[in-house]
Amino acid sequence: MKKIIDKKNIVLGVSGGIAAYKSAEFLRLLVTNGANARVIMTQNAKWFVGPVTFEALSGQKVCTSLFEEEGDASIKHIDWAGEADAVVIAPATANIIGKFAHGIADDALSTFILAVTCPVLVCPSMNTHMFESRSVQRNLDQLKTDGYFIIDPESGELACGTIGPGRLPEPEDILDRLMYALYPNDLTGKRILVTAGPTCEHFDPVRFISNPSSGKMGFAVAKAAEHRGGTVSLVTGPTNLADPNRVSVIRVRTAQEMADEVFERMDTADIIVKTAAVSDYKPKDQVEYKVKKDEKEHAMLLEKNLDILKEIGKRKKQQILVGFAAETENLAENAANKLAEKRLDLIVGNLIGEPASGFGTDTNTVTLFFKDGTKESLPTMHKDDVAHVLLDRIIKM
Ligand code: CTP
């Protein structure tokens, strides 16, 4: 769920590069996320993808010319510029980048861009040598100075056979940067340390004690904090989730490894959010060979892991410290106890075992318990949205 995109007026500018086919996919993503998306194409873009494709996907007329062709008196490039919440130029060719950098307005897209006052994301996509040429780099520097968001192209084998930077990023990644551009940057200059996922405590090389935490909540907090301008480090136990964009991800396995990485980073953090489901115990004995089965019963001795959050609570100076409490019963009482015992500013309590809440789900139903004794119950929401509400409350502190 990408709520920030919902009902936003997004203008997609398509210029004439082979990656124009990917813009059709990006447009679909915009529309499925609720955007009111409109397309302006250059004449050269029409060689790669027909306007009908974009019209079918957006449900709106595509603008391809400075001059209205169907008798409609509205000057689209001015109207659309005024209404837009964000503009994405994908792909952006060397030619359109050059025009933007120099204020040349000789077609619908380059004229429109001069009238735009909202954030503009430019996704350069071209042959590697063209991209690395001094003039394109100079023009991109100019666009950065002028306040455009430049999304670096990906490296790989390009349609022309060259290997190097120049490929248009995947639609999901462009959407991610669009979200960054749309969210308020209210965490700029702040360092946020997040933990996520389960830990695995081995008793032999192939077996361990763990829990079903998927890491989704912690990854959502890390991503949301980055979208709001924060510098984010994410220490995570094993998960199947991909690294969020521009988040420094440190992958660990055991509680001890998580503790080491967290303690190393906690002094420079302004905000620490511990969503990780840390294993409270680990097998006392760990052997280096695979334990063989036999006919006997086996007992395993467990020893306690360090409570990482409690230790941070003892050591913390100015940081805002947020914990999570996963409970099967007595949520308020248990959460309040953990808040006090671990010296937290806020604890997010959730009852696990409910269908729309807890381990592995995309949604969560949580109650926030604050240090001053107040609490706030949130409706069931996507974990991305829970993360943003949580950050709203943290920022208020
Ligand atoms: N936590 C931690 N280190 C541990 C155990 C828990 O840092 N060894 C943190 C979790 O990341 C979470 C909070 O403490 O933010 C609460 O975790 P939870 O598992 O709900 O509670 P516990 O303190 O482990 O207590 P119990 O298991 O008895 O409910």
Side-chain angles (χ1 to χ4, degrees), residues 2-28:
K2 277 97 189 182
K3 223 175 177 178
I4 191 82
I5 309 286
D6 192 34
K7 300 196 175 57
K8 292 287 190 311
N9 291 320
I10 311 292
V11 176
L12 172 61
V14 184
S15 59
I18 181 66
Y21 76 94
K22 270 195 191 172
S23 328
E25 212 181 311
F26 175 63
L27 175 62
R28 221 181 94 75

Side-chain angles (χ1 to χ4, degrees), residues 121-294:
L121 285 78
V122 175
C123 308
S125 169
M126 64 198 77
N127 163 276
T128 300
H129 302 303
M130 287 171 76
F131 175 69
E132 289 174 344
S133 70
R134 269 173 278 179
S135 54
V136 169
Q137 288 302 315
R138 197 168 54 233
N139 287 338
L140 285 172
D141 285 345
Q142 183 61 51
L143 291 188
K144 281 181 204 158
T145 309
D146 293 347
Y148 288 79
F149 289 83
I150 308 299
I151 304 184
D152 290 334
E154 287 177 358
S155 284
E157 189 174 350
L158 307 181
C160 57
T162 318
I163 295 175
R167 204 158 62 185
L168 188 71
E170 291 308 311
E172 273 287 354
D173 291 323
I174 302 175
L175 192 76
D176 183 78
R177 288 305 86 197
L178 175 60
M179 291 164 75
Y180 171 86
L182 288 171
Y183 274 113
N185 280 168
D186 43 13
L187 285 173
T188 301
K190 298 285 177 225
R191 291 182 176 276
I192 299 99
L193 175 60
V194 184
T195 69
T199 64
C200 296
E201 313 296 334
H202 281 262
F203 60 90
D204 81 4
V206 291
R207 300 186 188 96
F208 52 81
I209 298 175
S210 190
N211 61 67
S213 168
S214 63
K216 285 178 185 170
M217 194 60 241
F219 276 62
V221 172
K223 196 168 64 172
E226 193 279 331
H227 282 163
R228 294 169 73 152
T231 304
V232 186
S233 297
L234 172 64
V235 180
T236 177
T239 74
N240 292 322
L241 305 174
D243 291 4
N245 276 320
R246 295 177 203 226
V247 168
S248 159
V249 180
I250 304 102
R251 295 197 181 254
V252 298
R253 201 159 171 85
T254 65
Q256 188 56 54
E257 287 166 10
M258 183 172 280
D260 293 344
E261 297 293 346
V262 167
F263 296 150
E264 200 180 309
R265 289 167 178 79
M266 67 166 283
D267 288 339
T268 53
D270 300 296
I271 299 162
I272 302 172
V273 183
K274 276 215 90 248
T275 74
V278 184
S279 190
D280 290 325
Y281 292 92
K282 65 177 176 199
K284 192 163 186 337
D285 298 310
Q286 294 153 43
V287 293
E288 280 167 15
Y289 53 86
K290 186 182 170 208
V291 174
K292 288 290 172 194
K293 67 172 175 290
D294 55 30

